[in-house]
Amino acid sequence: MSLVDWFANLFVQEAKHYVFTPVVSDAEKLVFREGQHYFRLRLAEMFLKDDRKLFRKAVPVVSSVVSLQFGASAAQQLPNVAGPLALNLNENSLGKGVQLNYSLTNLVPYRGGNVSISAALLAYVSKDYFSAFLNLANSIAGQLTIGQLSAALKVVGSVAGALQDLLDSGDKEVRLVYHNEYAGTDDLGGVSLQSGYFAVIGAQAGKFNPEKLLVKNSQLYIGDDRQSAKPLAGYDYMLFGVEAALYRDDFRYFSEYNSLLYAAIEKGMLDKAEGDAVIRAGMLAVFKSDDLTYVDKTRVAAALKAEYEERLSQLLKAKNLLIPDDQWLNSRALAINPEATERKIAPVLANKQLDDVAIADTILEMVVKGEIS
């Protein structure tokens, strides 16, 4: 049985008419567009109404699985587990302090199609072996929330297996269960995936007023206004945040791009035409990446080309010139406006007659010709 099936069965068995609601926050509301935005799911906050009593006997855990399209492959299931033991807290520290913003997915390009989110707030009876096992499961799952997802997918099977063992082991109390599937757009009868916050609260629907809820500093508050609002208490709840982004700032550390960049500079020092051919291959590798959106692929390709030209020019003028890496691409690339890039390539992305390869070729030519820089 897959993790998605496990959550589906749990939902049927345990789900009640609890409160599910979007929550007002300062986050901008944005409907995701295929090929143009990144998506990341966070568990902003989890709360157990009897945490002081519970933490002495049990370990709180939010387990989740997100199913989404990644690259050209079938939908990927990205499992995760979040809980205070991820912070290496002992039993004397549990239930104290503030624990916020657990990443449940990496920053993943939104490819359209179906995106489903399942999560459960669980309380497991604490036993000698359980804490070590939970730490191990969390450590494995953490590999899916950093770096390139294309590389991290190698451990998905291990993560799913570990979490399946975790979910099936020990005595547990199910506090809350959540499942939702996003596809299409609201105005056409679908369910749009949007940025912002939503909460699942262990309160009886119809007897709880969600209109007074709001998010402050990644925490769930309730009140008539932001000034007088107080942290919500007295209910089990999970507060989730859906993040949208136009670009990611860690592409500089994608190993294949750096290796091609330095190879191009090395070739270009001897023969500019050979260097140009290598950097074009590097730009093409960018457009083949599953870890970037088309807006960001365009930005990164233009940034790599700009750095290649700038470095090569200076090195040819003074072959002994040494400039630290951090003075180059990081500032240069981020100066390339993603909003402007989005506007320039929007007509290409909207052309229904072009497949992914044709889109990549067309945009790459725009970068090479300097139409995007």
Side-chain angles (χ1 to χ4, degrees), residues 254-329:
F254 289 8
S255 59
E256 62 268 33
Y257 307 153
N258 262 337
S259 62
L260 285 166
L261 172 63
Y262 293 129
I265 293 173
E266 184 178 3
K267 290 288 187 182
M269 289 288 291
L270 301 175
D271 186 322
K272 181 64 163 57
E274 289 189 16
D276 290 350
V278 175
I279 200 62
R280 185 182 176 92
M283 294 162 66
L284 183 60
V286 169
F287 278 99
K288 290 181 178 179
S289 173
D290 290 331
D291 293 290
L292 300 170
T293 65
Y294 273 114
V295 171
D296 225 10
K297 288 175 182 179
T298 306
R299 185 182 69 96
V300 171
L304 288 175
K305 182 174 182 289
E307 183 179 13
Y308 162 73
E309 297 287 356
E310 187 173 357
R311 283 200 180 197
L312 187 59
S313 174
Q314 294 205 24
L315 288 173
L316 288 173
K317 290 178 182 177
K319 291 187 177 181
N320 294 324
L321 179 65
L322 297 175
I323 301 179
D325 284 347
D326 60 5
Q327 294 181 17
W328 291 92
L329 185 58

Side-chain angles (χ1 to χ4, degrees), residues 76-93:
Q76 295 288 342
Q77 295 181 17
L78 307 180
N80 212 312
V81 57
L85 288 181
L87 305 178
N88 295 319
L89 301 178
N90 60 35
E91 66 176 12
N92 294 321
S93 301

